[in-house]
Amino acid sequence: MSDTLMRLTAVFHDVFNDDELVISRDTSAKNIENWDSLTHVTLIVKAEKEFGVRFTSAQVAGLQNVGELIDLIEQKAGR
Amino acid sequence: MNRQLLPKLLEYIADKHPRSRRGVEEAMRVSPQKFTEIAEMFLGWLVKALGDDGIQRAADAFVQFSTDVNLAQARYEVDGSYQNKSFAEVYANHYSQIDTMNEYLWGIYLTNFLWAHHTEISLLYADTFLAKLPATSQIVEIAPGHGGWGAWALSRLPQAQLQGFDISPSAIQIASSVTRAAGVADRATYTERDALDLTHMPQSIADGLICNFLVEHLERPEKLFAVVSHLLKPRAIGFITGALTAAQVDHIYEFRYESELVKMCEEQGLRVLQTLSVGPTRTLPQARFLPRSMALIVQKRCGEFY
Ligand SMILES: C[S@@+](CC[C@H](N)C(=O)[O-])C[C@H]1O[C@@H](n2cnc3c(N)ncnc32)[C@H](O)[C@@H]1O
């Protein structure tokens, strides 16, 4: 598991209040019942804090799955 | 009426924007039958105005707009104040930008029924406000944006006429296309104009006035209520909505309490007949601010207490 995915998994556990949640690059709102528009923003703001990055609203709205979020984090963090 | 459009919208949202599905389902539950009627009416105009891919375009715009709003609210929770303070700044970066405004206005157009709390406002508008307007009303709409509210009024009142004023060129263009789609364009005119200049118009010209979600966009919102009061005939009524502790890129004036809006109305010669304050049922975790929308039905007083 990549470092980003590992740290992001911890953010998901916190936001969804579920330590058993397993996420992969393909995970999307279609697989996680409670991943609605508000949870999404909560997730984004926590990920911004965790990785020290800031996203634009267009980037946030366009994210389709965890893989795209990882790519965006890594691109912003210059990894 | 074409009954196929709502299922098309719902299917598209479930497939392309699954995160928005829950909110939409909440809106449908407010009043399933009326929700369907309002949705089919708005979607029918939308498809006529934008063509066959109108539903997809507007749904994408709705999701972008809702994300803007939710993200702005999350930043507001941290900062404790709205991001923008000056009208000039918002005008330059937003109202005057054609592409930004096109997407923004079609996004807002769908919030009138896809946000559950806004469905409640739409019901008050149609069932109470429009029901009180005289059939031959001269209506003024301030900041029509997409024009959906005015088109709705003209559809319900086949002899009424409407003059709309908005500062954004995109709003004039979109509102005109929506009234054309609704088949009421011969009774509507839209002019690019700052709302606060409308005190230069003749006094007491309106039997009904609509001004939705403008007041929080102004540096001096009390001036808008003076405009409303100037334009309404004595005892004529207006429908005004505003946002409280609800951040958005173009919100400037931070209303914190419902009474602030009521007081501004009263100080400008308006009697507040009815109010509705609504907020979303789901909020950010540990939110300090509930992003509320408030609707007021007001009446122009002809004396201090009458
Ligand atoms: C949030 S939109 C509201 C649109 C519509 N009334 C609704 O409720 O869905 C705000 C509208 O106010 C317009 N606006 C902002 N400042 C204005 C001003 N000073 N005078 C006239 N229109 C203004 C914008 O161009 C935009 O169309």
Side-chain angles (χ1 to χ4, degrees):
Chain A
M1 197 191 265
S2 77
D3 173 55
T4 310
L5 179 56
M6 215 153 65
R7 286 164 67 191
L8 199 55
T9 300
V11 174
F12 270 75
H13 287 176
D14 177 23
V15 171
F16 290 100
N17 202 13
D18 177 0
D19 289 344
E20 309 288 304
L21 193 62
V22 178
I23 58 165
S24 70
R25 287 188 63 89
D26 292 335
T27 307
S28 75
K30 287 188 179 163
N31 321 114
I32 300 184
E33 164 95 16
N34 288 332
W35 192 348
D36 64 16
S37 48
L38 267 182
T39 327
H40 184 56
V41 163
T42 309
L43 198 59
I44 290 299
V45 172
K46 295 216 170 176
E48 285 183 334
K49 205 166 165 199
E50 168 66 25
F51 294 96
V53 294
R54 192 155 166 130
F55 305 119
T56 67
S57 178
Q59 289 168 333
V60 174
L63 290 171
Q64 294 294 330
N65 54 34
V66 169
E68 290 187 12
L69 179 55
I70 290 175
D71 293 344
L72 192 61
I73 291 169
E74 294 185 344
Q75 181 199 325
K76 292 251 167 195
R79 265 173 244 178
Chain B
M1 194 189 283
N2 185 345
R3 291 265 161 202
Q4 298 311 308
L5 298 173
L6 179 59
K8 221 171 142 181
L9 172 72
L10 298 177
E11 203 178 298
Y12 183 75
I13 288 181
D15 184 38
K16 289 280 184 293
H17 301 294
R19 296 189 296 260
S20 299
R21 216 178 35 200
R22 184 190 280 190
V24 171
E25 285 165 1
E26 267 174 26
M28 291 173 75
R29 281 197 295 272
V30 172
S31 172
Q33 195 196 329
K34 289 195 170 170
F35 174 90
T36 306
E37 279 169 25
I38 298 171
E40 290 293 350
M41 176 182 76
F42 270 81
L43 294 175
W45 299 337
L46 168 72
V47 168
K48 276 196 192 151
L50 283 184
D52 281 345
D53 66 345
I55 289 192
Q56 287 89 325
R57 277 178 59 192
D60 293 345
F62 165 77
V63 170
Q64 182 59 62
F65 176 75
S66 302
T67 307
D68 290 350
V69 166
N70 287 335
L71 199 57
Q73 193 71 15
R75 309 247 189 260
Y76 170 49
E77 284 288 344
V78 175
D79 301 340
S81 65
Y82 291 171
Q83 182 195 331
N84 280 311
K85 301 272 176 290
S86 113
F87 181 79
E89 210 177 340
V90 177
Y91 181 83
N93 298 329
H94 194 70
Y95 303 137
S96 63
Q97 302 297 316
I98 304 276
D99 288 345
T100 315
M101 278 304 278
N102 276 349
E103 178 168 309
Y104 165 91
L105 288 174
W106 284 116
I108 293 185
Y109 182 82
L110 293 191
T111 63
N112 288 333
F113 56 96
L114 290 187
W115 283 1
H117 57 308
H118 282 205
T119 304
E120 290 184 55
I121 290 186
S122 292
L123 295 178
L124 178 73
Y125 175 76
D127 297 346
T128 307
F129 174 69
L130 292 184
K132 282 182 200 273
L133 286 185
T136 57
S137 286
Q138 295 294 326
I139 301 170
V140 171
E141 181 166 14
I142 306 179
H146 48 71
W149 297 101
W152 197 351
L154 293 178
S155 306
R156 281 276 293 267
L157 304 166
Q159 290 161 280
Q161 312 253 357
L162 180 141
Q163 297 181 69
F165 302 95
D166 198 292
I167 204 160
S168 150
S170 313
I172 303 303
Q173 188 257 319
I174 295 179
S176 304
S177 73
V178 167
T179 37
R180 270 197 305 277
V184 297
D186 55 329
R187 292 182 285 122
T189 59
Y190 292 102
T191 311
E192 196 180 316
R193 197 155 170 188
D194 189 324
L196 301 184
D197 286 346
L198 298 177
T199 41
H200 297 123
M201 291 188 57
Q203 204 173 356
S204 307
I205 56 168
D207 301 293
L209 186 143
I210 306 161
C211 183
N212 287 335
F213 298 110
L214 169 63
V215 70
E216 65 280 10
H217 296 246
L218 303 173
E219 289 175 24
R220 300 276 311 274
E222 71 282 5
K223 289 187 170 177
L224 180 65
F225 294 102
V227 169
V228 172
S229 188
H230 175 82
L231 295 174
L232 280 176
K233 293 178 182 172
R235 298 196 198 108
I237 58 170
F239 190 85
I240 304 173
T241 57
L244 298 91
T245 62
Q248 205 171 289
V249 48
D250 51 355
H251 288 179
I252 293 175
Y253 193 91
E254 192 186 330
F255 286 102
R256 292 207 158 200
Y257 300 101
E258 283 76 1
S259 57
E260 294 169 41
L261 284 144
V262 171
K263 189 156 180 274
M264 283 186 191
C265 286
E266 290 180 341
E267 285 172 353
Q268 299 300 334
L270 300 167
R271 176 178 161 228
V272 177
L273 298 182
Q274 206 165 328
T275 62
L276 172 70
S277 174
V278 284
T281 46
R282 286 167 301 121
T283 55
L284 294 161
Q286 280 111 39
R288 270 190 299 161
F289 300 112
L290 177 65
R292 285 156 288 160
S293 294
M294 184 178 184
L296 302 102
I297 300 180
V298 300
Q299 182 176 43
K300 172 71 185 282
R301 291 199 312 252
C302 35
E304 196 180 350
F305 301 107
Y306 184 37

Short mmCIF file of all heavy atoms in Angstrom, two decimals, chain A residues 28-30 33-38 40-42 44-45 48 54-65, chain B residues 14-23 63-64 66-71 74-75 78-79 282-286:
data_model
loop_
_atom_site.label_atom_id
_atom_site.label_comp_id
_atom_site.label_asym_id
_atom_site.label_seq_id
_atom_site.Cartn_x
_atom_site.Cartn_y
_atom_site.Cartn_z
N SER A 28 -15.36 4.39 -4.70
CA SER A 28 -16.07 5.64 -5.02
C SER A 28 -17.35 5.71 -4.18
O SER A 28 -17.64 4.80 -3.40
CB SER A 28 -16.43 5.67 -6.51
OG SER A 28 -17.51 4.79 -6.73
N ALA A 29 -18.11 6.78 -4.40
CA ALA A 29 -19.37 6.95 -3.65
C ALA A 29 -20.36 5.84 -4.00
O ALA A 29 -21.33 5.62 -3.27
CB ALA A 29 -19.97 8.30 -3.95
N LYS A 30 -20.11 5.13 -5.08
CA LYS A 30 -21.01 4.02 -5.42
C LYS A 30 -20.78 2.84 -4.48
O LYS A 30 -21.65 1.99 -4.32
CB LYS A 30 -20.81 3.60 -6.88
CG LYS A 30 -21.40 4.63 -7.85
CD LYS A 30 -21.39 4.13 -9.28
CE LYS A 30 -22.01 5.18 -10.18
NZ LYS A 30 -21.71 5.00 -11.58
N GLU A 33 -21.82 3.78 1.09
CA GLU A 33 -23.19 4.28 1.25
C GLU A 33 -23.26 5.74 1.74
O GLU A 33 -24.01 6.54 1.21
CB GLU A 33 -23.89 3.31 2.22
CG GLU A 33 -25.18 3.83 2.83
CD GLU A 33 -26.38 3.35 2.03
OE1 GLU A 33 -26.21 2.41 1.23
OE2 GLU A 33 -27.46 3.94 2.20
N ASN A 34 -22.43 6.07 2.75
CA ASN A 34 -22.56 7.40 3.36
C ASN A 34 -21.70 8.49 2.72
O ASN A 34 -21.58 9.57 3.28
CB ASN A 34 -22.22 7.32 4.85
CG ASN A 34 -23.30 6.60 5.61
OD1 ASN A 34 -24.47 6.63 5.20
ND2 ASN A 34 -22.93 5.92 6.68
N TRP A 35 -21.12 8.19 1.62
CA TRP A 35 -20.25 9.18 0.96
C TRP A 35 -21.14 10.12 0.15
O TRP A 35 -21.31 9.99 -1.05
CB TRP A 35 -19.22 8.47 0.08
CG TRP A 35 -18.11 9.35 -0.43
CD1 TRP A 35 -18.04 10.71 -0.38
CD2 TRP A 35 -16.91 8.90 -1.07
NE1 TRP A 35 -16.87 11.14 -0.95
CE2 TRP A 35 -16.15 10.06 -1.39
CE3 TRP A 35 -16.39 7.65 -1.42
CZ2 TRP A 35 -14.91 9.99 -2.03
CZ3 TRP A 35 -15.17 7.58 -2.06
CH2 TRP A 35 -14.43 8.74 -2.36
N ASP A 36 -21.70 11.11 0.82
CA ASP A 36 -22.55 12.08 0.13
C ASP A 36 -21.79 13.39 -0.05
O ASP A 36 -20.59 13.47 0.27
CB ASP A 36 -23.88 12.28 0.89
CG ASP A 36 -23.68 12.86 2.27
OD1 ASP A 36 -22.59 13.40 2.56
OD2 ASP A 36 -24.61 12.79 3.09
N SER A 37 -22.46 14.41 -0.54
CA SER A 37 -21.76 15.65 -0.90
C SER A 37 -21.14 16.34 0.32
O SER A 37 -20.06 16.94 0.22
CB SER A 37 -22.71 16.60 -1.63
OG SER A 37 -23.91 16.70 -0.92
N LEU A 38 -21.79 16.24 1.47
CA LEU A 38 -21.24 16.89 2.67
C LEU A 38 -20.06 16.11 3.24
O LEU A 38 -19.05 16.69 3.64
CB LEU A 38 -22.31 17.00 3.75
CG LEU A 38 -23.11 18.28 3.80
CD1 LEU A 38 -24.08 18.21 4.96
CD2 LEU A 38 -22.21 19.51 3.95
N HIS A 40 -18.17 14.35 1.58
CA HIS A 40 -17.09 14.54 0.60
C HIS A 40 -16.25 15.77 0.98
O HIS A 40 -15.02 15.72 1.03
CB HIS A 40 -17.70 14.71 -0.79
CG HIS A 40 -16.69 14.82 -1.89
ND1 HIS A 40 -15.73 13.86 -2.10
CD2 HIS A 40 -16.48 15.77 -2.84
CE1 HIS A 40 -14.97 14.21 -3.14
NE2 HIS A 40 -15.41 15.38 -3.59
N VAL A 41 -16.95 16.87 1.27
CA VAL A 41 -16.23 18.10 1.61
C VAL A 41 -15.49 17.92 2.95
O VAL A 41 -14.36 18.38 3.11
CB VAL A 41 -17.22 19.29 1.64
CG1 VAL A 41 -16.63 20.47 2.36
CG2 VAL A 41 -17.58 19.68 0.22
N THR A 42 -16.10 17.21 3.89
CA THR A 42 -15.44 16.95 5.17
C THR A 42 -14.15 16.17 4.93
O THR A 42 -13.09 16.48 5.49
CB THR A 42 -16.39 16.14 6.08
OG1 THR A 42 -17.65 16.81 6.12
CG2 THR A 42 -15.85 16.01 7.49
N ILE A 44 -12.41 16.06 2.19
CA ILE A 44 -11.45 16.89 1.46
C ILE A 44 -10.71 17.83 2.42
O ILE A 44 -9.49 17.96 2.37
CB ILE A 44 -12.20 17.70 0.37
CG1 ILE A 44 -12.67 16.77 -0.75
CG2 ILE A 44 -11.35 18.83 -0.18
CD1 ILE A 44 -11.57 16.04 -1.48
N VAL A 45 -11.47 18.45 3.30
CA VAL A 45 -10.85 19.42 4.22
C VAL A 45 -9.88 18.69 5.16
O VAL A 45 -8.79 19.18 5.45
CB VAL A 45 -11.95 20.20 4.99
CG1 VAL A 45 -11.35 21.07 6.07
CG2 VAL A 45 -12.75 21.06 4.01
N GLU A 48 -6.83 17.78 3.13
CA GLU A 48 -6.00 18.99 2.93
C GLU A 48 -5.10 19.20 4.14
O GLU A 48 -3.91 19.51 4.01
CB GLU A 48 -6.90 20.23 2.77
CG GLU A 48 -7.57 20.34 1.41
CD GLU A 48 -8.39 21.63 1.23
OE1 GLU A 48 -8.86 22.19 2.25
OE2 GLU A 48 -8.58 22.05 0.11
N ARG A 54 -4.05 22.36 -0.69
CA ARG A 54 -5.37 22.99 -0.79
C ARG A 54 -5.92 22.78 -2.20
O ARG A 54 -5.22 23.00 -3.19
CB ARG A 54 -5.26 24.48 -0.48
CG ARG A 54 -6.61 25.14 -0.27
CD ARG A 54 -6.44 26.35 0.59
NE ARG A 54 -7.61 27.21 0.57
CZ ARG A 54 -8.20 27.66 1.65
NH1 ARG A 54 -7.76 27.34 2.84
NH2 ARG A 54 -9.23 28.46 1.56
N PHE A 55 -7.17 22.35 -2.27
CA PHE A 55 -7.79 22.05 -3.56
C PHE A 55 -8.73 23.17 -3.99
O PHE A 55 -9.29 23.87 -3.14
CB PHE A 55 -8.61 20.76 -3.47
CG PHE A 55 -7.83 19.58 -2.98
CD1 PHE A 55 -8.19 18.93 -1.82
CD2 PHE A 55 -6.72 19.12 -3.68
CE1 PHE A 55 -7.47 17.83 -1.36
CE2 PHE A 55 -5.99 18.02 -3.23
CZ PHE A 55 -6.37 17.38 -2.06
N THR A 56 -8.96 23.27 -5.29
CA THR A 56 -9.98 24.21 -5.77
C THR A 56 -11.33 23.48 -5.77
O THR A 56 -11.38 22.23 -5.79
CB THR A 56 -9.70 24.68 -7.21
OG1 THR A 56 -9.85 23.55 -8.08
CG2 THR A 56 -8.30 25.26 -7.36
N SER A 57 -12.38 24.27 -5.83
CA SER A 57 -13.71 23.68 -5.81
C SER A 57 -13.94 22.80 -7.05
O SER A 57 -14.57 21.74 -6.95
CB SER A 57 -14.73 24.81 -5.75
OG SER A 57 -16.01 24.29 -5.76
N ALA A 58 -13.42 23.22 -8.20
CA ALA A 58 -13.61 22.42 -9.42
C ALA A 58 -12.92 21.06 -9.26
O ALA A 58 -13.46 20.03 -9.68
CB ALA A 58 -13.06 23.16 -10.63
N GLN A 59 -11.75 21.05 -8.63
CA GLN A 59 -11.06 19.78 -8.43
C GLN A 59 -11.87 18.88 -7.48
O GLN A 59 -12.02 17.69 -7.72
CB GLN A 59 -9.66 20.02 -7.83
CG GLN A 59 -8.70 20.65 -8.82
CD GLN A 59 -7.43 21.17 -8.16
OE1 GLN A 59 -7.42 21.53 -6.98
NE2 GLN A 59 -6.36 21.23 -8.94
N VAL A 60 -12.41 19.50 -6.45
CA VAL A 60 -13.18 18.74 -5.45
C VAL A 60 -14.43 18.13 -6.09
O VAL A 60 -14.76 16.96 -5.88
CB VAL A 60 -13.56 19.65 -4.26
CG1 VAL A 60 -14.47 18.94 -3.29
CG2 VAL A 60 -12.30 20.15 -3.56
N ALA A 61 -15.12 18.94 -6.90
CA ALA A 61 -16.37 18.46 -7.52
C ALA A 61 -16.09 17.35 -8.53
O ALA A 61 -16.90 16.44 -8.70
CB ALA A 61 -17.09 19.62 -8.20
N GLY A 62 -14.95 17.42 -9.19
CA GLY A 62 -14.68 16.49 -10.29
C GLY A 62 -14.17 15.12 -9.85
O GLY A 62 -14.14 14.20 -10.67
N LEU A 63 -13.80 14.96 -8.60
CA LEU A 63 -13.20 13.69 -8.19
C LEU A 63 -14.18 12.53 -8.30
O LEU A 63 -15.29 12.59 -7.76
CB LEU A 63 -12.72 13.79 -6.73
CG LEU A 63 -11.51 14.69 -6.48
CD1 LEU A 63 -11.27 14.88 -4.99
CD2 LEU A 63 -10.26 14.10 -7.15
N GLN A 64 -13.76 11.48 -9.00
CA GLN A 64 -14.66 10.33 -9.21
C GLN A 64 -14.40 9.18 -8.25
O GLN A 64 -15.28 8.40 -7.94
CB GLN A 64 -14.50 9.81 -10.64
CG GLN A 64 -14.95 10.78 -11.72
CD GLN A 64 -16.45 11.04 -11.69
OE1 GLN A 64 -17.22 10.18 -11.31
NE2 GLN A 64 -16.85 12.23 -12.06
N ASN A 65 -13.14 9.06 -7.80
CA ASN A 65 -12.82 7.92 -6.92
C ASN A 65 -11.56 8.21 -6.11
O ASN A 65 -10.94 9.27 -6.27
CB ASN A 65 -12.66 6.63 -7.74
CG ASN A 65 -11.64 6.81 -8.86
OD1 ASN A 65 -10.66 7.54 -8.71
ND2 ASN A 65 -11.87 6.17 -10.00
N ALA B 14 -27.67 9.70 -10.27
CA ALA B 14 -27.27 8.44 -9.63
C ALA B 14 -26.02 7.86 -10.30
O ALA B 14 -25.12 7.34 -9.64
CB ALA B 14 -28.42 7.44 -9.69
N ASP B 15 -25.94 8.01 -11.61
CA ASP B 15 -24.82 7.41 -12.34
C ASP B 15 -23.55 8.26 -12.25
O ASP B 15 -22.48 7.77 -11.93
CB ASP B 15 -25.25 7.23 -13.81
CG ASP B 15 -24.15 6.53 -14.60
OD1 ASP B 15 -23.52 5.62 -14.03
OD2 ASP B 15 -23.92 6.91 -15.77
N LYS B 16 -23.69 9.57 -12.52
CA LYS B 16 -22.49 10.42 -12.64
C LYS B 16 -22.16 11.15 -11.34
O LYS B 16 -21.02 11.55 -11.13
CB LYS B 16 -22.71 11.46 -13.75
CG LYS B 16 -22.70 10.88 -15.14
CD LYS B 16 -21.25 10.67 -15.60
CE LYS B 16 -21.09 10.19 -17.00
NZ LYS B 16 -21.56 8.88 -17.34
N HIS B 17 -23.14 11.40 -10.51
CA HIS B 17 -22.89 12.19 -9.31
C HIS B 17 -23.51 11.50 -8.08
O HIS B 17 -24.38 12.07 -7.43
CB HIS B 17 -23.50 13.60 -9.46
CG HIS B 17 -22.96 14.35 -10.63
ND1 HIS B 17 -21.65 14.77 -10.70
CD2 HIS B 17 -23.56 14.78 -11.78
CE1 HIS B 17 -21.45 15.42 -11.85
NE2 HIS B 17 -22.59 15.43 -12.53
N PRO B 18 -23.08 10.26 -7.79
CA PRO B 18 -23.74 9.52 -6.71
C PRO B 18 -23.69 10.23 -5.35
O PRO B 18 -24.57 10.02 -4.52
CB PRO B 18 -22.97 8.19 -6.68
CG PRO B 18 -21.72 8.41 -7.46
CD PRO B 18 -21.99 9.50 -8.43
N ARG B 19 -22.70 11.11 -5.14
CA ARG B 19 -22.62 11.80 -3.84
C ARG B 19 -23.79 12.76 -3.65
O ARG B 19 -24.08 13.16 -2.53
CB ARG B 19 -21.30 12.59 -3.73
CG ARG B 19 -20.05 11.72 -3.74
CD ARG B 19 -18.82 12.54 -3.41
NE ARG B 19 -18.51 13.55 -4.39
CZ ARG B 19 -17.59 13.45 -5.35
NH1 ARG B 19 -16.88 12.33 -5.45
NH2 ARG B 19 -17.37 14.43 -6.18
N SER B 20 -24.43 13.16 -4.74
CA SER B 20 -25.53 14.13 -4.64
C SER B 20 -26.90 13.45 -4.50
O SER B 20 -27.91 14.13 -4.34
CB SER B 20 -25.56 15.03 -5.88
OG SER B 20 -24.36 15.74 -5.96
N ARG B 21 -26.90 12.13 -4.58
CA ARG B 21 -28.17 11.41 -4.60
C ARG B 21 -28.97 11.59 -3.31
O ARG B 21 -30.17 11.82 -3.33
CB ARG B 21 -27.90 9.93 -4.84
CG ARG B 21 -28.94 9.26 -5.70
CD ARG B 21 -28.60 7.83 -5.93
NE ARG B 21 -27.96 7.26 -4.75
CZ ARG B 21 -27.20 6.17 -4.76
NH1 ARG B 21 -26.99 5.54 -5.88
NH2 ARG B 21 -26.67 5.70 -3.65
N ARG B 22 -28.28 11.53 -2.19
CA ARG B 22 -28.99 11.57 -0.91
C ARG B 22 -29.75 12.88 -0.73
O ARG B 22 -30.91 12.92 -0.31
CB ARG B 22 -28.01 11.38 0.25
CG ARG B 22 -28.74 11.32 1.57
CD ARG B 22 -27.80 11.37 2.74
NE ARG B 22 -27.18 10.09 3.00
CZ ARG B 22 -26.46 9.82 4.08
NH1 ARG B 22 -26.26 10.75 4.98
NH2 ARG B 22 -25.94 8.65 4.26
N GLY B 23 -29.10 13.98 -1.06
CA GLY B 23 -29.74 15.30 -0.94
C GLY B 23 -30.97 15.39 -1.83
O GLY B 23 -32.00 15.94 -1.43
N VAL B 63 -24.02 20.29 -9.38
CA VAL B 63 -23.05 19.60 -8.50
C VAL B 63 -21.86 20.53 -8.24
O VAL B 63 -21.38 20.63 -7.10
CB VAL B 63 -22.61 18.27 -9.14
CG1 VAL B 63 -21.44 17.66 -8.38
CG2 VAL B 63 -23.78 17.30 -9.17
N GLN B 64 -21.43 21.24 -9.27
CA GLN B 64 -20.32 22.19 -9.08
C GLN B 64 -20.73 23.30 -8.11
O GLN B 64 -19.99 23.63 -7.18
CB GLN B 64 -19.88 22.78 -10.41
CG GLN B 64 -18.69 23.74 -10.30
CD GLN B 64 -17.45 23.07 -9.70
OE1 GLN B 64 -16.93 22.13 -10.26
NE2 GLN B 64 -17.01 23.54 -8.54
N SER B 66 -23.11 23.23 -5.80
CA SER B 66 -23.29 22.70 -4.44
C SER B 66 -21.93 22.45 -3.79
O SER B 66 -21.76 22.66 -2.58
CB SER B 66 -24.09 21.39 -4.46
OG SER B 66 -25.34 21.62 -5.07
N THR B 67 -20.94 22.02 -4.59
CA THR B 67 -19.60 21.80 -4.03
C THR B 67 -18.99 23.15 -3.63
O THR B 67 -18.39 23.26 -2.55
CB THR B 67 -18.68 21.09 -5.06
OG1 THR B 67 -19.34 19.92 -5.51
CG2 THR B 67 -17.34 20.74 -4.47
N ASP B 68 -19.16 24.17 -4.49
CA ASP B 68 -18.66 25.51 -4.14
C ASP B 68 -19.22 25.94 -2.79
O ASP B 68 -18.50 26.45 -1.93
CB ASP B 68 -19.14 26.57 -5.16
CG ASP B 68 -18.48 26.44 -6.52
OD1 ASP B 68 -17.52 25.67 -6.66
OD2 ASP B 68 -18.96 27.12 -7.46
N VAL B 69 -20.52 25.73 -2.64
CA VAL B 69 -21.21 26.18 -1.44
C VAL B 69 -20.71 25.39 -0.22
O VAL B 69 -20.38 25.97 0.83
CB VAL B 69 -22.74 26.01 -1.62
CG1 VAL B 69 -23.49 26.12 -0.31
CG2 VAL B 69 -23.26 27.02 -2.63
N ASN B 70 -20.64 24.08 -0.35
CA ASN B 70 -20.21 23.26 0.79
C ASN B 70 -18.76 23.55 1.19
O ASN B 70 -18.42 23.61 2.38
CB ASN B 70 -20.35 21.77 0.47
CG ASN B 70 -21.80 21.33 0.46
OD1 ASN B 70 -22.65 21.94 1.11
ND2 ASN B 70 -22.10 20.28 -0.27
N LEU B 71 -17.91 23.76 0.18
CA LEU B 71 -16.51 24.04 0.48
C LEU B 71 -16.37 25.43 1.10
O LEU B 71 -15.62 25.61 2.08
CB LEU B 71 -15.69 23.94 -0.82
CG LEU B 71 -14.19 23.75 -0.67
CD1 LEU B 71 -13.83 22.51 0.14
CD2 LEU B 71 -13.52 23.66 -2.06
N ALA B 74 -17.32 25.14 4.64
CA ALA B 74 -16.28 24.50 5.46
C ALA B 74 -15.16 25.50 5.77
O ALA B 74 -14.65 25.55 6.89
CB ALA B 74 -15.70 23.29 4.72
N ARG B 75 -14.81 26.34 4.80
CA ARG B 75 -13.76 27.36 5.03
C ARG B 75 -14.26 28.43 5.99
O ARG B 75 -13.51 28.95 6.81
CB ARG B 75 -13.33 28.00 3.71
CG ARG B 75 -12.97 27.01 2.58
CD ARG B 75 -11.49 27.06 2.23
NE ARG B 75 -11.16 26.28 1.03
CZ ARG B 75 -10.64 25.05 1.06
NH1 ARG B 75 -10.40 24.45 2.22
NH2 ARG B 75 -10.35 24.42 -0.07
N VAL B 78 -13.96 27.53 9.57
CA VAL B 78 -12.60 27.72 10.10
C VAL B 78 -12.31 29.21 10.29
O VAL B 78 -11.83 29.64 11.35
CB VAL B 78 -11.56 27.12 9.11
CG1 VAL B 78 -10.14 27.40 9.57
CG2 VAL B 78 -11.79 25.62 8.96
N ASP B 79 -12.65 30.03 9.27
CA ASP B 79 -12.26 31.45 9.30
C ASP B 79 -13.20 32.32 10.14
O ASP B 79 -12.79 33.38 10.62
CB ASP B 79 -12.26 32.04 7.87
CG ASP B 79 -11.29 31.29 6.96
OD1 ASP B 79 -10.39 30.61 7.50
OD2 ASP B 79 -11.44 31.38 5.72
N ARG B 282 -28.76 18.02 6.94
CA ARG B 282 -27.39 17.53 7.17
C ARG B 282 -26.44 18.72 7.14
O ARG B 282 -26.56 19.58 6.27
CB ARG B 282 -26.99 16.53 6.09
CG ARG B 282 -27.65 15.18 6.21
CD ARG B 282 -27.47 14.32 4.97
NE ARG B 282 -28.03 14.96 3.79
CZ ARG B 282 -27.33 15.25 2.71
NH1 ARG B 282 -26.06 14.95 2.62
NH2 ARG B 282 -27.90 15.86 1.68
N THR B 283 -25.51 18.76 8.09
CA THR B 283 -24.54 19.86 8.12
C THR B 283 -23.14 19.27 8.29
O THR B 283 -22.99 18.07 8.53
CB THR B 283 -24.80 20.82 9.30
OG1 THR B 283 -24.80 20.04 10.49
CG2 THR B 283 -26.10 21.56 9.16
N LEU B 284 -22.14 20.13 8.21
CA LEU B 284 -20.77 19.68 8.44
C LEU B 284 -20.65 19.25 9.90
O LEU B 284 -21.36 19.77 10.77
CB LEU B 284 -19.80 20.83 8.16
CG LEU B 284 -19.74 21.27 6.70
CD1 LEU B 284 -19.14 22.66 6.57
CD2 LEU B 284 -18.95 20.26 5.86
N PRO B 285 -19.76 18.31 10.20
CA PRO B 285 -19.63 17.87 11.60
C PRO B 285 -19.21 19.04 12.50
O PRO B 285 -18.40 19.85 12.10
CB PRO B 285 -18.54 16.78 11.54
CG PRO B 285 -18.01 16.77 10.16
CD PRO B 285 -18.84 17.63 9.29
N GLN B 286 -19.78 19.08 13.69
CA GLN B 286 -19.49 20.14 14.68
C GLN B 286 -19.65 21.55 14.11
O GLN B 286 -18.88 22.46 14.45
CB GLN B 286 -18.06 20.00 15.22
CG GLN B 286 -17.90 18.96 16.30
CD GLN B 286 -17.07 17.78 15.79
OE1 GLN B 286 -16.10 17.96 15.05
NE2 GLN B 286 -17.46 16.59 16.16
#
